[in-house]
Amino acid sequence: MLENFVSAKELEAQACYADGVRKLVSGKGYTAFVITLGCQQNEADSERIRGILSSLGYTITQDEKIADIIIVNTCAIREHAEKRALSIIGRYKHNKSANPDTVIGVCGCMPAQAHRAEQLKHSYHYVDFVFGTGSLHRLPEFVFNALNKGKRAFVPDEQRPKIAEGLPVVRESAHKAWVSIMYGCNNFCTYCIVPYVRGRERSRLPEAVIDEVRGLVAQGYKDITLLGQNVNSYGKELEGGYNISYLLREIAKIDGEFWLHLMTSHPKDVSPELIEALGASKNIANCFHLPLQSGSSEVLKRMNRHYDIDRYMSIIDGLKAKSPDIVLTTDIIVGFPGETDEDFEKTLDIVRRVKYDSVYTFIFSPRKGTPAYEMQDQIPEQIKKARFDRLNEVQNEISRAKNEAMIGKTIKVLVDGKSKSNDQIYTSRTEGNKIVHFEADEDYTGQFIKLKITRADTFALYGEI
Ligand code: 5AD
Ligand code: SF4
């Protein structure tokens, strides 16, 4: 099991680099800017990157123009995400020409692919270093070498990336926190690049996770999300028979008022024990994100998802039986190779049957290196787009109806903060992550309050105190 963790010796070596960086930046008032693309896992990684950079003596800034170090944390899940990352990296060329001492690093899922690392090496000369998601703990070393004008560094992850415990964290929010419980993915869904860029599954020790959550609750955090590509397989490689249900039950025992969320589950691994554990405490939020991907069992087979629609629906029925008003959300891909009109109709059928509160819809994007990239019968773009629009149309009607059904109810929300456009309007979230806007004279940011819902549309609710 120890082989899953970065050794104390390696962490000590990084501490020496960190001392070296601190000497170089001391008293210079250097600032750091970190930009994040992609999923919550990347958000969580960026909080660690900011933590490391501030421990090195940098002040975190939101102003990319003046930053002395810029880190771009990239996503590779769809082509669009990669294009966006490349265009963002492209704009930092000006920072380097304006100030040649600016340090520029690229990390995350995109450069973990060899062809992208090569592209960054040859076409983006101003990028100082590039590293994969499994090498984040080596940031002090990369910064030290860049400040010393060493060679540009292109660091591929190890064959089996490891978990680094104890890295500093600067969190975005004072009331919402991500807690990674595991890293990587073993599932190899045929469309997905994640297992290639984030390596095999490895779980943090339960004590480490539970202590982190306990610390967060003590600091006043009220919304905690346990993160992993497939949180349902948490603990599989740990000794002691730990699993996600154990983790939920132990965390739910922590004293304090908070919501616990899970992100993301894989239907093939949802056990009756987990459904039972979800209802074990009021601290466990009454919502569940269960990616469907397709409503056709044939398509699911070609996606290598290891469940069929009967199995999927039995989980949904189990969740609804335990808690009839549970908020359900999902991910769906349209236009997977070979998806027929009939397959697509089956997806619409499941969407209508489940009545999700919201659906994250995606157009299939072929990722180089995945089996689906090579599959015959790729679907033409205009058909994919038409299915995407149709799916959203069907779901939007359901979302609106479900939101409208909440009018008149009084519900508990966690206040996120002021709306960007209007000082008197606040934004909050329900337990099921629905957005609720309301007006207030007092600032309740970070607190639980009760709102009466007065109005609803497809994407938001409106309420009053
Ligand atoms: N194309 C489109 N969507 C994808 N996803 C993952 N890979 C792809 C791809 N190649 C979607 C899945 C997953 C979500 C995070 O992104 O629905 O659940
Ligand atoms: Fe990708 Fe499938 Fe792993 Fe999710 S479970 S990260 S979709 S391979």
Side-chain angles (χ1 to χ4, degrees):
M1 216 166 57
L2 268 182
E3 68 274 8
N4 272 355
F5 293 88
V6 174
S7 68
K9 202 167 150 217
E10 171 66 28
L11 292 175
E12 269 165 36
Q14 291 304 321
C16 290
Y17 283 116
D19 279 340
V21 175
R22 276 190 288 270
K23 284 192 188 110
L24 289 170
V25 308
S26 161
K28 293 197 172 137
Y30 278 177
T31 58
F33 177 74
V34 181
I35 180 162
T36 316
L37 302 163
C39 64
Q40 290 90 348
Q41 198 73 63
N42 269 13
E43 295 284 351
D45 286 348
S46 283
E47 293 189 339
R48 257 159 242 278
I49 292 170
R50 289 193 191 95
I52 294 176
L53 291 173
S54 58
S55 78
L56 295 178
Y58 288 88
T59 303
I60 305 302
T61 177
Q62 303 303 327
D63 186 353
E64 60 183 33
K65 288 192 206 76
I66 56 145
D68 297 284
I69 183 166
I70 296 173
I71 306 284
V72 188
N73 192 0
T74 63
C75 171
I77 197 99
R78 283 169 288 275
E79 193 187 356
H80 175 72
E82 290 203 311
K83 281 196 174 144
R84 198 158 157 240
L86 290 171
S87 107
I88 287 170
I89 298 165
R91 77 181 183 228
Y92 296 133
K93 189 175 181 183
H94 304 294
N95 294 55
K96 195 78 162 196
S97 32
N99 174 10
D101 287 338
T102 312
V103 173
I104 299 179
V106 177
C107 63
C109 293
M110 191 182 78
Q113 306 162 96
H115 69 284
R116 289 298 185 198
E118 280 300 303
Q119 184 181 4
L120 289 165
K121 193 172 193 168
H122 298 298
S123 310
Y124 296 78
H125 291 280
Y126 50 93
V127 170
D128 294 287
F129 56 84
V130 163
F131 61 97
T133 57
S135 305
L136 198 152
H137 61 283
R138 290 177 61 191
L139 189 54
E141 172 188 344
F142 306 145
V143 177
F144 181 82
N145 289 337
L147 290 173
N148 282 297
K149 305 279 182 217
K151 273 209 306 226
R152 298 168 74 213
F154 291 80
V155 186
D157 278 342
E158 291 172 42
Q159 273 300 2
R160 270 193 68 91
K162 296 178 177 149
I163 297 177
E165 284 292 351
L167 299 181
V169 190
V170 169
R171 298 189 189 267
E172 275 294 282
S173 161
H175 57 273
K176 274 185 183 184
W178 314 115
V179 175
S180 294
I181 62 168
M182 60 185 302
Y183 302 89
C185 181
N186 288 356
N187 293 312
F188 290 95
C189 302
T190 52
Y191 50 79
C192 188
I193 197 72
V194 169
Y196 305 90
V197 295
R198 284 194 173 266
R200 294 296 67 72
E201 284 175 3
R202 53 223 182 263
S203 301
R204 291 178 68 196
L205 295 176
E207 310 88 79
V209 174
I210 295 164
D211 282 353
E212 186 172 344
V213 176
R214 190 176 290 118
L216 289 166
V217 173
Q219 285 172 57
Y221 279 85
K222 300 215 164 36
D223 187 335
I224 293 166
T225 303
L226 303 184
L227 277 186
Q229 306 299 337
N230 174 13
V231 292
N232 306 121
S233 64
Y234 171 81
K236 270 193 184 153
E237 82 292 3
L238 294 178
E239 286 154 23
Y242 298 115
N243 61 17
I244 185 67
S245 311
Y246 169 82
L247 212 49
L248 280 180
R249 279 195 302 265
E250 289 303 303
I251 293 175
K253 283 184 203 157
I254 295 172
D255 268 344
E257 192 185 16
F258 63 96
W259 281 333
L260 191 64
H261 287 100
L262 282 182
M263 187 60 82
T264 290
S265 295
H266 192 308
K268 79 175 168 58
D269 295 313
V270 177
S271 62
E273 190 195 358
L274 172 61
I275 298 181
E276 200 62 44
L278 287 173
S281 158
K282 63 172 178 30
N283 284 340
I284 301 173
N286 188 22
C287 59
F288 204 70
H289 183 74
L290 191 64
L292 170 68
Q293 311 299 3
S294 168
S296 155
S297 294
E298 290 82 53
V299 173
L300 288 172
K301 202 165 200 172
R302 278 184 285 121
M303 286 178 161
N304 194 32
R305 291 288 289 174
H306 294 283
Y307 56 86
D308 60 14
I309 288 305
D310 287 347
R311 160 100 178 105
Y312 185 90
M313 287 308 293
S314 74
I315 301 169
I316 294 286
D317 292 344
L319 289 165
K320 285 182 174 172
K322 272 263 159 234
S323 172
D325 55 355
I326 189 167
V327 169
L328 294 169
T329 54
T330 196
D331 292 346
I332 295 178
I333 299 176
V334 297
F336 185 78
E339 182 189 67
T340 60
D341 283 340
E342 209 182 356
D343 290 322
F344 177 63
E345 284 303 323
K346 287 181 183 165
T347 298
L348 293 181
D349 180 50
I350 297 299
V351 165
R352 291 189 189 103
R353 272 166 67 192
V354 176
K355 292 197 170 54
Y356 298 103
D357 289 83
S358 65
V359 176
Y360 299 87
T361 49
F362 305 104
I363 291 180
F364 170 70
S365 168
R367 308 314 294 132
K368 202 170 171 183
T370 63
Y373 182 85
E374 313 281 349
M375 283 180 186
Q376 303 294 310
D377 300 325
Q378 296 284 333
I379 307 294
E381 284 307 317
Q382 71 274 21
I383 296 184
K384 287 193 208 173
K385 177 73 174 61
R387 287 180 187 164
F388 178 76
D389 290 345
R390 177 83 187 110
L391 173 58
N392 284 331
E393 199 183 313
V394 169
Q395 177 55 39
N396 286 351
E397 215 171 289
I398 297 168
S399 297
R400 173 182 276 271
K402 291 200 88 167
N403 286 349
E404 280 174 352
M406 296 183 72
I407 295 174
K409 291 190 177 153
T410 299
I411 51 166
K412 181 172 160 182
V413 296
L414 177 61
V415 182
D416 270 340
K418 272 187 190 142
S419 131
K420 284 193 188 93
S421 52
N422 185 331
D423 242 19
Q424 247 125 38
I425 306 277
Y426 285 80
T427 300
S428 64
R429 297 267 177 173
T430 66
E431 186 172 354
N433 241 339
K434 288 178 192 264
I435 297 171
V436 194
H437 301 293
F438 65 99
E439 267 181 52
D441 301 324
E442 208 175 312
D443 189 347
Y444 295 100
T445 302
Q447 294 179 42
F448 285 119
I449 59 166
K450 292 233 165 127
L451 292 178
K452 183 169 180 193
I453 304 302
T454 51
R455 193 157 67 82
D457 60 30
T458 310
F459 302 109
L461 301 163
Y462 303 82
E464 51 193 32
I465 297 176

